[in-house]
Amino acid sequence: MAKTFVFVNQKGGVGKTTSAINIGAYIALAGKKVLLVDFDSQGNMSSGVGVSLDKPTVYELIAGDVEAEKAVKHTMIKSLDVISASLDLSGAAIELVEQERREYFLKEALEPLKSKYDYILIDCPPSLGILTLNGLVAADEVLVPMQCEYFALEGITLLLQGVQKVQKTHNPDLVIGGIFFTMYDSRTRLAQDVVLQVKSYFKDIVFNTIVPRNIRLSEAPSHGLPICKYDPECAGAKSYEKLAQEVIARG
């Protein structure tokens, strides 16, 4: 059965989608079968791996309009698949509020696929709303990308409080799989201080690999390519390759 990770951070622009794409791509290159689930109506994960936003998408999947296998689309990496998202998903946040068991729609929709993959990686919106709650309920572990700045320290406390509430009410088996740093600039004292503070407080939860600020990582999605296909020799690619290896090694 697949291990399911959800990438969560209520703050936008921290490299969450970029991380989900590239960690997934490198896990797939390591010989594992990986399914990316784009659960953000912006559809950036889908376009970032060169997949169309045409139906069926994850919206049709959670609405019960399509079987799980028919919602899966293939990418240029043999063992990397994706369920895409579109703007239709923005309406789901409103529609789900009125539904019974509204927190379990994604979990139940993905259930038929868990035996077909080694890893399922869910990308959620930058918020702690109903879509992210569905992602947390569907997951085994939470992966938290964190930018090296002061406000990130405040945000991660709020995020972890949200995870604890989900553990108590909907998913008691959910664990924090790890925190990792993105967009790191070694030239700034602040970035170094944030890393030290987070590592001293969270200790083993923090991944060793730090992803640097890297222009090639920003360029790759516009070409519909993971960094391993766009520029595998750049510093960002090397970091995500190591980070993916850490994710695999942890379980």
Side-chain angles (χ1 to χ4, degrees), residues 18 36 38 46 48 62 83 90 120 141 143 146 191 218 221 250-251:
T18 296
L36 303 177
D38 192 345
S46 308
I62 64 170
I83 298 178
S90 60
I120 297 176
E141 299 189 16
L143 295 181
M146 183 175 175
S218 302
R250 288 195 179 195

Side-chain angles (χ1 to χ4, degrees), residues 150-171:
Y150 173 74
F151 289 117
L153 292 172
E154 295 183 340
I156 198 167
T157 302
L158 178 63
L159 172 60
L160 296 181
Q161 288 173 352
V163 171
Q164 288 175 348
K165 288 179 181 178
V166 174
Q167 290 170 326
K168 290 178 182 178
T169 57
H170 298 100
N171 188 357

Side-chain angles (χ1 to χ4, degrees), residues 35-237:
L35 175 66
L36 303 177
V37 180
D38 192 345
F39 211 52
D40 185 343
S41 61
Q42 296 179 83
N44 291 338
M45 172 184 266
S46 308
S47 58
V49 292
V51 168
S52 76
L53 307 186
D54 296 340
K55 297 179 181 180
T57 67
V58 72
Y59 176 80
E60 284 74 36
L61 177 60
I62 64 170
D65 295 337
V66 65
E67 294 177 10
E69 288 187 28
K70 293 183 179 178
V72 173
K73 300 171 183 175
H74 303 298
T75 73
M76 77 292 294
I77 297 175
K78 185 177 180 181
S79 55
L80 181 69
D81 294 338
V82 63
I83 298 178
S84 63
S86 70
L87 284 173
D88 291 339
L89 191 60
S90 60
I94 300 171
E95 296 165 14
L96 286 172
V97 171
E98 303 296 326
Q99 302 291 324
E100 292 184 9
R101 292 179 57 82
R102 56 186 176 272
E103 302 90 353
Y104 296 89
F105 272 62
L106 182 61
K107 177 182 176 65
E108 292 170 357
L110 294 177
E111 201 64 38
L113 298 171
K114 294 201 73 171
S115 63
K116 302 180 184 300
Y117 292 91
D118 298 305
Y119 292 90
I120 297 176
L121 276 56
I122 304 169
D123 183 36
C124 289
S127 72
L128 294 179
I130 188 64
L131 295 182
T132 299
L133 178 55
N134 264 259
L136 290 168
V137 171
D140 301 309
E141 299 189 16
V142 184
L143 295 181
V144 183
M146 183 175 175
Q147 199 171 353
C148 301
E149 59 181 33
Y150 173 74
F151 289 117
L153 292 172
E154 295 183 340
I156 198 167
T157 302
L158 178 63
L159 172 60
L160 296 181
Q161 288 173 352
V163 171
Q164 288 175 348
K165 288 179 181 178
V166 174
Q167 290 170 326
K168 290 178 182 178
T169 57
H170 298 100
N171 188 357
D173 297 324
L174 183 66
V175 299
I176 302 295
I179 299 167
F180 59 91
F181 297 102
T182 62
M183 303 180 187
Y184 179 75
D185 187 344
S186 60
R187 297 171 298 180
T188 68
R189 178 65 180 269
L190 176 60
Q192 297 172 32
D193 288 345
V194 169
V195 170
L196 287 174
Q197 286 185 54
V198 173
K199 283 189 171 183
S200 65
Y201 185 79
F202 292 104
K203 298 182 170 51
D204 292 343
I205 293 177
V206 183
F207 285 96
N208 293 321
T209 304
I210 297 176
V211 180
R213 189 175 294 277
N214 183 254
I215 189 63
R216 305 299 275 175
L217 289 173
S218 302
E219 294 171 351
S222 65
H223 296 271
L225 295 170
I227 195 63
C228 60
K229 293 294 184 182
Y230 182 66
D231 187 353
E233 298 304 317
C234 72

